[in-house]
Amino acid sequence: ILITTGFYYSLNVSTLQQGEIPQNFGVFAAALMVESIIYMVFAIATKASLTQVVLESYAGIFPIHGCVSFKKTLSRLPTLLCFAVILWLILFASTILPAGLWAAQMNTGSTIWLIFAIVVTVICFVWVVYLSVSFVCTMPAIMAERQLSATNSMRRSHYLSIGYFCYIFSTTFLIVAVAYFVVLVLGPFAHFVNIILFPILSILSTVIYLNLRVCKEDLTRETLATELGVDVQSEVPMMATGMPVMKEDIPLAEKEENDII
């Protein structure tokens, strides 16, 4: 996207400086839209793959292969894209309404419009924060619980967030606030922070999802492994290193019990 924008500007620098719209603006807009859609799909797939890796790690499924996790993500990609579109439409509506009211206030200069615009802006801001907290567990729910509907996953995330709003908000806000403070300090090098922040937020939402399920539903590794499609009874026990558990690694009491059986 940056390359396309820079190339377009270099071709039409004189026209843009005169404040005129170049003739090839339609082609540029179409290319930018296609690239933005590709970026959105790639970003969603990458975040979902990171979510899958964290879920498998918590469930004790080793070794973890990135290609396998990505293939599992592709099978749920339609639901993930549907959720992204719904969330984008909600955020767009919450943004365009205050913008329209502020534009009307600037044209009229009315005090009534000013008060109305301020009230609606505050309400929309609170609404966006509430939705962001309520839907933070939607992607992990899609990946872990095989939710085929985006709306059901959003309801599931909202259910898990009930009673834990302050915990989710404070945890997420702290990470984002620190990241954007670093962005302001670094200035031109802020893109490197975004590269680091991208996986951190994906991992954070998954950790929050697991913590909420542990608190509200007593989630265990065996339950999560079953939800991820792993037969716990038939699987060979694996250590965190990816190696099978040897008999000498089993505690003595457990070894004697196995020998009796």
Side-chain angles (χ1 to χ4, degrees), residues 5 30 32 36 56-57 88 112 128 132 150 169 179 184 187 200 213 216 224 230 251:
T5 305
L32 203 63
S36 300
E56 292 180 358
S57 300
W88 183 86
I112 297 177
V128 169
S132 301
F169 175 78
L184 293 176
I200 289 178
R213 289 199 62 186
K216 303 190 73 169
L224 182 60
V230 176

Side-chain angles (χ1 to χ4, degrees), residues 2-228:
L2 291 175
I3 293 175
T4 302
T5 305
F7 181 70
Y8 173 78
Y9 181 80
S10 63
L11 289 178
N12 305 278
V13 59
S14 59
T15 306
L16 292 171
Q17 288 177 351
Q18 297 174 1
E20 300 177 358
I21 299 177
Q23 295 181 352
N24 56 0
F25 178 77
V27 178
F28 166 70
L32 203 63
M33 183 177 298
V34 172
E35 289 178 341
S36 300
I37 294 174
I38 294 175
Y39 168 77
M40 183 187 70
V41 174
F42 179 77
I44 292 174
T46 305
K47 291 181 67 175
S49 298
L50 290 171
T51 300
Q52 181 71 22
V53 168
V54 176
L55 291 171
E56 292 180 358
S57 300
Y58 180 85
I61 303 174
F62 296 100
I64 297 175
H65 300 286
C67 294
V68 176
S69 300
F70 189 75
K71 289 179 181 179
K72 294 179 181 179
T73 300
L74 293 179
S75 63
R76 297 170 177 81
L77 191 58
T79 305
L80 294 168
L81 292 177
C82 185
F83 162 64
V85 171
I86 293 174
L87 187 60
W88 183 86
L89 291 175
I90 294 175
L91 296 178
F92 177 77
S94 302
T95 304
I96 199 67
L97 180 59
L101 293 176
W102 281 106
Q105 190 277 330
M106 293 173 59
N107 291 331
T108 60
S110 173
T111 306
I112 297 177
W113 276 106
L114 176 61
I115 297 174
F116 189 50
I118 294 175
V119 172
V120 172
T121 302
V122 173
I123 293 175
C124 289
F125 176 77
V126 174
W127 175 245
V128 169
V129 172
Y130 175 77
L131 291 180
S132 301
V133 172
S134 298
F135 298 151
V136 71
C137 297
T138 303
M139 184 174 289
I142 294 175
M143 300 304 298
E145 303 176 34
R146 302 182 183 181
Q147 296 280 357
L148 299 179
S149 171
T151 54
N152 289 340
S153 302
M154 296 167 75
R155 294 192 190 98
R156 172 66 170 159
S157 177
H158 179 262
Y159 163 76
L160 292 174
S161 66
I162 295 176
Y164 294 90
F165 181 89
C166 293
Y167 159 68
I168 299 174
F169 175 78
S170 59
T171 305
T172 308
F173 177 79
L174 179 62
I175 298 295
V176 175
V178 171
Y180 279 100
F181 175 76
V182 176
V183 167
L184 293 176
V185 172
L186 294 180
F189 303 98
H191 292 291
F192 295 102
V193 179
N194 292 330
I195 294 175
I196 299 174
L197 185 63
F198 181 82
I200 289 178
L201 291 178
S202 303
I203 296 172
L204 180 64
S205 63
T206 310
V207 172
I208 291 175
Y209 166 79
L210 293 171
N211 288 341
L212 294 180
R213 289 199 62 186
V214 169
C215 294
K216 303 190 73 169
E217 302 175 349
D218 295 329
L219 178 68
T220 62
R221 289 189 173 187
E222 290 75 14
T223 303
L224 182 60
T226 304
E227 293 178 352
L228 293 175

Side-chain angles (χ1 to χ4, degrees), residues 234-251:
S234 61
E235 289 291 325
V236 178
M238 306 292 286
M239 298 175 60
T241 57
M243 300 298 294
V245 176
M246 298 291 103
K247 188 172 183 179
E248 54 269 19
D249 297 325
I250 303 177

